Every structure is written in structure tokens, then in C-alpha cells.
Amino acid sequence: MLNSILIAVFPRLLPRATDLSTPERHHNRNLAQLRVIGEHINRRLKIFRILKEQYRNRRRRFALRCNLIAGLLNYELALFS
């Protein structure tokens, strides 16, 4: 099961002089939908300046601050869902 997931993570490329088959189109569409979700999450995280720019403080505290920001966003998602 895990091997099939790891193998099929790239979109299917269009072969020369032919069209993609219907299952290949569905595969590409599903990957695009997952990519959009990831990009929306990145956008919400990059609103915070600490994640947008280069971090210049102690590295040990960076993970703590990332977890705090993620917790804030998860709380906001749960609040409005």
C-alpha cells in the first residue's frame, strides 16, 4: 500500500501526439487538488512574519514558535468549521 502511494506522486506527462487517458487525467486532477490544499496552508502560515522571513533568533525556540503558530491556525480552523 505504501509503495503505491510513494510511486504515484508525480503528475502524468502528456505523451507526444496523443492525449492523456481518463484515469491519468483523474490522477493529475487529484494531485492538483492536494497541491492547492498545501498551498493554502502555506499561505496561512506565511501571514506570520516569523515564518515569512529569515529567522534570526535562537534555533531552539523556532520549533516552539512554529508549533504555537500552527496551534493558533488549527484553533481558528476549528472555531469556524
Side-chain angles (χ1 to χ4, degrees), residues 17-42:
T18 59
D19 290 335
L20 288 176
S21 65
T22 304
E24 290 174 335
R25 278 195 199 128
H26 288 300
H27 173 76
N28 286 352
R29 186 167 292 151
N30 290 337
L31 284 179
Q33 289 172 350
L34 288 175
R35 190 177 306 120
V36 166
I37 292 170
E39 291 297 327
H40 284 294
I41 292 170
N42 284 339

Side-chain angles (χ1 to χ4, degrees), residues 4-58:
S4 64
I5 293 172
L6 293 177
I7 291 172
V9 292
F10 295 109
R12 303 281 188 240
L13 297 178
L14 183 68
R16 291 180 189 235
T18 59
D19 290 335
L20 288 176
S21 65
T22 304
E24 290 174 335
R25 278 195 199 128
H26 288 300
H27 173 76
N28 286 352
R29 186 167 292 151
N30 290 337
L31 284 179
Q33 289 172 350
L34 288 175
R35 190 177 306 120
V36 166
I37 292 170
E39 291 297 327
H40 284 294
I41 292 170
N42 284 339
R43 179 191 64 83
R44 292 182 70 116
L45 288 172
K46 296 276 178 124
I47 289 172
F48 294 90
R49 184 175 177 189
I50 193 170
L51 296 176
K52 186 181 353 182
E53 297 176 357
Q54 184 176 7
Y55 187 69
R56 298 170 62 148
N57 295 323
R58 294 182 184 156

